[in-house]
Amino acid sequence: CADANCPVENIVELANGYTQEVHFWDVRENRRTYERTFYPAAKGQSRGSLYSERIFAESGLGIKSERYLSPEGKLTKEGQLYQNNLEKDKSWQFNLALYSPLGQVSERQVRNLKGQLIGKTLNRPDGTAEVSFKYPSPDTETYFDARHFAEDGTTVNWQESRSFGNYSVTYNYAGTDKPRETSSVSPRSANLITYRLDGTKLSEFREYRDYGRTFIDYDNSGEVAVERFFGPQSGKVDASGQPVFSLRRIEIKNGKDNVVAHYEWFDNGKLEVVQFHKNATRKLRVDYRYDKVTGKLKQRIEFGADDKVSKIINDPKDTPVLDIKAAWFDAPARPAVAASRVNVDGEEYRGGHF
């Protein structure tokens, strides 16, 4: 029996003045079937109004359902036991709804059978979902996956994910589930990708603060068109004390894996490497290497049809035609990386110790 008509097995007067009515599957094992708790009785009352009622699962899974009421009789909280029906997840959980004074669900919680919080959704005053969280580590809200919803409560405006040493953010195009930009940070590094509405990549920024910055532009099909890497100039800073960056490498492509040009520079600004890759007019790849001090050509490296080195010529007499553009050397300003609002620099994994 699991309803209000069950014979009363025990009535308990609690220390706070509340009264509890308990029914049992087995009194000796303290296995409850049904429990009702009442507010303290007002003067002239034998029992106060209903505070809560809980039904327990016979299988030993804990509470099957529960509800809580205000002294005025308004629902403040209710929950039910639920079993996931996913292919790889048949776990039981407890779904809890919290109500506002106006009767709207203000928050929904998901807890495991230990009562630990594993997810929640916060609603707006009108009842639509504003943000939902999932917690990979139960009862630990420091690390999470979150979705932030538009006014309709279903369309995801943006989402974020936080774990040890990592934080990422994705913003969608308004009214769609298509990403407009994603950014992420890990200790001393950052990444930003922007997308076109069709889902292809538009641009990318990568930063390794101890190493340098990479800027990538994509063509209309989402393939890499131009990739530039800028490294910090040794000992040089700008007026704000930030490192001054100079071009160290550029690679220009025409379609997937089709390199048109590849140039590299030493940290002193002198040309280091030039690669001429195979194309419609060049059957084999040829590389040129330059001296860091003198800037003179010191080596020609020829490749075979298998793209393996076939010949190295020192002090060649060639005079390769270089097509270097002045615009390449203009270091773009560091873009705003939304994920940088969370500092994870102190969260480096060190051999099993945090």
Side-chain angles (χ1 to χ4, degrees), residues 148 161 195 256-257:
H148 298 258
S161 180
Y195 299 87
K256 186 175 182 181
D257 299 326

Side-chain angles (χ1 to χ4, degrees), residues 150-344:
E151 291 182 358
D152 61 10
T154 56
T155 303
V156 178
N157 272 345
W158 64 286
Q159 51 197 3
E160 55 183 330
S161 180
R162 179 75 166 95
S163 61
F164 182 84
N166 294 277
Y167 177 68
S168 62
V169 185
T170 297
Y171 290 97
N172 293 338
Y173 280 99
T176 77
D177 60 355
K178 298 181 182 298
R180 175 172 54 83
E181 71 169 52
T182 62
S183 64
S184 61
V185 291
S186 54
R188 302 196 64 75
S189 67
N191 183 256
L192 170 68
I193 303 174
T194 62
Y195 299 87
R196 300 180 181 89
L197 187 56
D198 64 6
T200 58
K201 290 182 179 180
L202 177 62
S203 67
E204 185 170 358
F205 167 74
R206 302 171 187 163
E207 178 182 58
Y208 302 91
R209 274 171 278 165
D210 296 329
Y211 181 54
R213 298 171 175 175
T214 297
F215 296 85
I216 303 174
D217 295 319
Y218 291 85
D219 62 21
N220 291 335
S221 62
E223 301 292 344
V224 175
V226 180
E227 179 175 333
R228 290 188 293 168
F229 170 73
F230 291 82
Q233 296 184 31
S234 180
K236 291 187 177 182
V237 296
D238 60 19
S240 62
Q242 297 300 308
V244 174
F245 291 87
S246 62
L247 183 64
R248 299 288 182 80
R249 183 180 67 248
I250 185 169
E251 188 162 88
I252 301 173
K253 293 185 176 182
N254 181 15
K256 186 175 182 181
D257 299 326
N258 184 14
V259 179
V260 175
H262 179 108
Y263 294 86
E264 296 179 24
W265 287 264
F266 291 108
D267 56 6
N268 63 3
K270 292 185 180 297
L271 191 61
E272 180 180 4
V273 175
V274 178
Q275 296 177 0
F276 292 111
H277 288 253
K278 292 186 292 186
N279 57 32
T281 59
R282 186 183 300 109
K283 294 183 178 181
L284 299 174
R285 172 182 163 183
V286 179
D287 289 3
Y288 292 93
R289 295 187 177 275
Y290 294 79
D291 185 270
K292 182 175 183 178
V293 177
T294 65
K296 293 182 179 180
L297 180 62
K298 68 175 185 179
Q299 201 172 66
R300 171 190 170 104
I301 304 173
E302 298 179 357
F303 292 76
D306 58 359
D307 280 335
K308 294 182 179 179
V309 175
S310 61
K311 183 187 296 185
I312 297 178
I313 303 172
N314 293 316
D315 298 320
K317 305 304 179 184
D318 304 47
T319 305
V321 178
L322 306 179
D323 186 20
I324 298 175
K325 312 294 186 185
W328 293 352
F329 296 87
D330 295 333
R334 184 187 188 279
V337 179
S340 294
R341 62 177 174 243
V342 176
N343 187 346
V344 299

